[in-house]
Amino acid sequence: MKKAMTLTYETGGNLYLNVTNHCPCACVFCIRKNDDGAYGSDPLWLEHEPSMQEMQDALARRDLSSYPEIVFCGYGEPTMRLNFICELADYIRKVCPTAVLRINTNGLTELYSPDADGTAAKRVAHAFDKVSISLNGGDSAVYNRVTNPRGMPDNAYDTMLSFAKTCKAEGTETIFTVVDVITPDEVAAAQKKADELGIPLHVRAYIA
């Protein structure tokens, strides 16, 4: 495991922000199992959790207005630092008002965030223009097998769905994702669940 302080990296024309390595899940498709970086980036294992000043310094070296999206998604679950990412999102909007902010999340923040009182989802929805949520399956059995939410209560799947409903209700562009490590029938079940909630589903290819 190579450690560095890679706080920003480019993928697909977008700028990605690496704010934490902590994650409560161990998804079977997690890219961290296969490499120290993502899509050719420098190592994303952090020497320490970055401070706000470190993130601001890293962003200052980028032309933020040149990216279609700025994505909070590194080698961890960004909402584990909920207060931090909301503050950082606010900072980015101040220095680059045209920025489009997206977060890739497991949608479980209500189970571990400092606002685990029903308001965390609304905070995320208000801080970001787009929210991409790992649906990972059409029912809790498949979800738990694929996501492996460690130390979580049995309602992790329902919590994630509730998070998605809140984001959508708040008017934030919301999408679900699954990775094609599940069977075609399980993808179809995930699509049915997404359709029930009126949220688009994106099927991602597994990258070994």
Side-chain angles (χ1 to χ4, degrees):
M1 180 190 300
K2 297 179 181 179
K3 291 190 175 183
M5 286 303 288
T6 305
L7 304 185
T8 68
Y9 61 102
E10 297 177 336
T11 293
N14 293 325
L15 183 66
Y16 282 68
L17 308 187
N18 185 27
V19 299
T20 185
N21 287 159
H22 295 297
C23 184
C25 302
C27 297
V28 296
F29 56 79
C30 185
I31 196 170
R32 305 196 309 180
K33 297 179 179 179
N34 303 319
D35 203 347
D36 290 324
Y39 312 107
S41 75
D42 291 333
L44 296 175
W45 292 110
L46 297 167
E47 295 173 356
H48 60 264
E49 298 272 86
S51 68
M52 185 59 63
Q53 189 60 59
E54 286 175 314
M55 289 303 306
Q56 291 177 2
D57 290 346
L59 290 169
R61 294 190 285 271
R62 302 282 190 174
D63 177 7
L64 301 184
S65 65
S66 68
Y67 299 102
E69 293 182 351
I70 298 174
V71 187
F72 286 59
C73 175
Y75 251 29
E77 168 52 45
T79 65
M80 295 201 77
R81 301 188 72 188
L82 182 61
N83 290 336
F84 184 85
I85 62 171
C86 289
E87 182 181 347
L88 183 58
D90 184 60
Y91 168 79
I92 294 172
R93 293 195 188 283
K94 288 178 180 177
V95 299
C96 185
T98 61
V100 175
L101 303 184
R102 186 179 97 211
I103 185 168
N104 294 355
T105 177
N106 58 29
L108 299 176
T109 184
E110 298 287 0
L111 296 179
Y112 51 71
S113 78
D115 287 9
D117 54 5
T119 64
K122 288 186 177 181
R123 290 187 66 195
V124 172
H126 295 167
F128 294 89
D129 302 295
K130 300 181 180 181
V131 180
S132 176
I133 304 162
S134 299
L135 178 62
N136 287 352
D139 57 50
S140 59
V142 174
Y143 176 83
N144 288 335
R145 188 190 80 227
V146 173
T147 308
N148 293 308
R150 298 169 292 190
M152 294 284 184
D154 293 336
N155 66 338
Y157 185 68
D158 290 337
T159 297
M160 177 271 298
L161 294 179
S162 177
F163 177 90
K165 293 175 187 176
T166 297
C167 290
K168 182 176 184 290
E170 292 299 311
T172 303
E173 183 177 341
T174 305
I175 65 169
F176 280 133
T177 64
V178 297
V179 178
D180 61 4
V181 294
I182 59 178
T183 68
D185 286 346
E186 290 169 343
V187 171
Q191 184 67 67
K192 181 178 179 181
K193 177 61 68 175
D195 290 344
E196 288 174 0
L197 300 180
I199 297 175
L201 176 71
H202 173 60
V203 181
R204 296 165 45 210
Y206 174 66
I207 299 176

